Amino acid sequence: MQRTLFNEDHAAFRESAKAFVERTITPNVEKFIEQRVIDRDVWLEAGRQGLLGLEIPEEYGGSGANDYRFNTVFAEELCRVNAAVASSLGIHGDVVAPYLVDLCTEEQKQRWLPGMCTGEIKTGIAMTEPSGGSDLAALKTNAVRDGDDWILNGSKTFITNGYTADMIVVAARTDPSKGARGITLFAVETGMPGFERGRKLDKVGQHPSDTAELFFSDVRLSQEHMIGEEGQGFIYMMERLPQERIGGAISNLAHAQGVFDETLEYVKERKAFGQAIGKFQHNKFLLAELRTKLDVSQAFIDTLTMQHVRGELSPVEAAQAKYWSADVENEVIDACVQLHGGYGYMTEYRVARAWMDARVTKIWAGSNEIMKELIGRDLGL
């Protein structure tokens, strides 16, 4: 399908992103899977290539692109090789960066943004808690005033980049009497007394992306570690979740597209009963259906991506994009596993790893059920 949202600048950037992926990611995927973390050298090289600061102004070392289509291109090229690498780098550049660019003081920006652009400061964001799941308004992690400082206590779980991040944006309750309007964001840095990490969590998939539990025991934070205004954290998160969700949708489809393309080549070469398995009517019809569903979904996501570029993407549309793309991704990749037969169940094959990697996309960034709840409410139900 011919796509219309990109121009010549995006095409040139895609070639650069593709070269970075082929040189830095593709040869090392197996190693990243085995060690359950992406080497810091990858982050530093991405920084040198100007790939980590697409959302960050030039005065802080970023590209200052101010065009989410560049983020889209980078995510697509990463996902064609490995979804977990895309999610790890995406949390850093797509999710955390806007919080710091939009909400931080000048001093805070000078402290963190240049290192984010070079890859010397790796970041994550800690919203999810063991008891809360997708319910961000039910946070139990709390911060209590102590003079001019804050004392942070609590825990977070399922935090991408959590095991190795140098700085993590943490959502904490600062006024229990105000419900969702009593949540504040803080920056917690490696080495702060009382800040500890659990083990790297043993996930079903997404192995190159390090994920961890975080524990805060009387972590003392100065006022300079507060991000934005006190009590505005929930609003800040709600304002920025649409970008996280459209970013997830872009990655979901790119991941499915990459696996589909590989599977299409496989069914042309793999033979059974004297002919290529793609020639059997059932398989031919199945691939025709998947091709059409991918193209229709791509047109939908591209349209919403352009709305986001123009600042017009609504939270409900972002929820639609997130849930639909995750469902399509899982449907396509599951079918591709079946088409590979027994080989599709072997982790040495990309399709098997992609199948494991894809399953979480129906859970994270707000479960698909929560997305449907948001859409249903918008329908007046």
Side-chain angles (χ1 to χ4, degrees), residues 141-142 150-155 188 192-197 214-221:
T141 296
N142 67 88
W150 295 87
I151 305 299
L152 179 69
N153 284 281
S155 64
V188 177
M192 285 184 163
F195 172 38
E196 297 182 1
R197 311 168 203 255
L214 307 178
F215 302 99
F216 313 101
S217 179
D218 293 332
V219 179
R220 181 171 291 275
L221 301 169

Side-chain angles (χ1 to χ4, degrees), residues 83-85 87 203-211 356-358 360-361 364:
V85 174
S87 67
K203 301 171 293 184
V204 171
Q206 298 269 339
H207 293 143
S209 172
D210 63 287
T211 306
M356 294 187 292
D357 289 346
V360 73
T361 63
W364 67 13

Side-chain angles (χ1 to χ4, degrees), residues 81-93:
V81 175
N82 185 270
V85 174
S87 67
S88 187
L89 293 173
I91 286 289
H92 177 86

